[in-house]
Amino acid sequence: KNEVEQSPQNLTAQEGEFITINCSYSVGISALHWLQQHPGGGIVSLFMLSSGKKKHGRLIATINIQEKHSSLHITASHPRDSAVYICAVRISGTYKYIFGTGTRLKVLA
Amino acid sequence: NAGVMQNPRHLVRRRGQEARLRCSPMKGHSHVYWYRQLPEEGLKFMVYLQKENIIDESGMPKERFSAEFPKEGPSILRIQQVVRGDSAAYFCASSPLPLASQETQYFGPGTRLLVL
């Protein structure tokens, strides 16, 4: 079993839909990142969380440390949101990151 | 302010050759991280460096791989005697402060290494 699990693996949505991507982890962490990898391969860091909730535009990320779970929400989804979304956790007491295998999102117009 | 630069963007090597991947962090950033993404797999942490120091190399294969971040110039990831299994995308990321300080990291475009 992977130490970082994401669900779903693949997601197709219609433009305008509310989208939720989940990340569960089984190790002690000091931070959790959500990354976006575009079809061309480039990676953008969306959020870094250690507690609570963060919002940036149409993106919202939450983390529940006790439950070892984080969610990434996209409101009013758009075709340009189509990408792979990756959850990464930093292991407590280290600089080492473990990555989920990603959620491939496709938003149809 | 230019972003993180990596070169080359694509690199083809024959088995047994050496591969040198370069990463120039964003201006003012003194912390560099290298990650590897194997085909159809997720990203994997390789090494974390500060200027002139390797801080955490727990993700680096023990043999053939080395990394440096000299006082002047880019960070270099070096792979000696490449094998087909080294074919992957190699990403570097930089941050101005250690990530432990809640700072985010900025990714380069990656180097796609193909070993024939």
Side-chain angles (χ1 to χ4, degrees):
Chain A
K1 190 178 188 298
N2 293 335
E3 292 162 302
V4 179
E5 297 271 0
Q6 287 186 236
S7 64
Q9 284 189 300
N10 295 284
L11 180 57
T12 300
Q14 293 293 326
E15 184 173 359
E17 284 186 12
F18 180 84
I19 288 163
T20 295
I21 299 171
N22 296 297
C23 175
S24 296
Y25 52 92
S26 57
V27 294
I29 72 168
S30 53
L32 181 144
H33 291 248
W34 281 103
L35 309 173
Q36 179 191 54
Q37 186 167 26
H38 295 285
I43 298 172
V44 174
S45 180
L46 298 174
F47 293 105
M48 188 185 69
L49 298 158
S50 54
S51 64
K53 176 180 176 179
K54 286 190 177 179
K55 184 177 190 293
H56 186 257
R58 295 181 294 106
L59 301 176
I60 303 166
T62 63
I63 188 168
N64 185 318
I65 298 292
Q66 286 73 32
E67 294 185 5
K68 296 190 172 182
H69 181 269
S70 175
S71 292
L72 176 68
H73 306 284
I74 305 175
T75 60
S77 59
H78 190 275
R80 65 175 174 266
D81 296 326
S82 299
V84 177
Y85 292 84
I86 301 167
C87 169
V89 301
R90 187 168 75 232
I91 300 175
S92 293
T94 77
Y95 295 97
K96 184 175 180 178
Y97 280 80
I98 302 176
F99 294 81
T101 52
T103 294
R104 192 174 300 273
L105 171 66
K106 187 171 185 179
V107 181
L108 303 174
Chain B
N1 187 11
V4 179
M5 315 252 312
Q6 288 187 251
N7 67 80
R9 296 289 303 275
H10 299 273
L11 182 61
V12 180
R13 285 286 178 265
R14 295 195 180 279
R15 280 179 297 169
Q17 291 184 320
E18 178 180 284
R20 281 189 178 232
L21 287 61
R22 294 173 186 77
C23 170
S24 297
M26 287 180 71
K27 189 176 180 181
H29 287 195
S30 58
H31 302 264
V32 166
Y33 312 81
W34 283 95
Y35 302 98
R36 177 165 67 173
Q37 188 173 39
L38 293 166
E40 305 303 320
E41 292 189 20
L43 286 157
K44 293 203 186 302
F45 167 84
M46 298 184 77
V47 62
Y48 163 46
L49 309 107
Q50 295 177 20
K51 284 279 186 182
E52 300 184 274
N53 287 305
I54 297 173
I55 306 303
D56 185 338
E57 57 180 348
S58 58
M60 289 269 277
K62 294 285 184 263
E63 296 176 352
R64 302 188 297 108
F65 284 72
S66 62
E68 61 177 12
F69 188 15
K71 188 176 180 182
E72 302 291 338
S75 175
I76 307 285
L77 179 67
R78 183 181 176 207
I79 312 172
Q80 295 177 290
Q81 300 175 319
V82 295
V83 300
R84 288 210 175 114
D86 296 333
S87 296
Y90 293 82
F91 291 92
C92 84
S94 73
S95 66
L97 295 169
L99 290 180
S101 65
Q102 305 297 304
E103 185 57 62
T104 193
Q105 53 186 320
Y106 299 84
F107 283 81
T111 293
R112 272 87 183 155
L113 171 65
L114 176 63
V115 179
L116 301 177

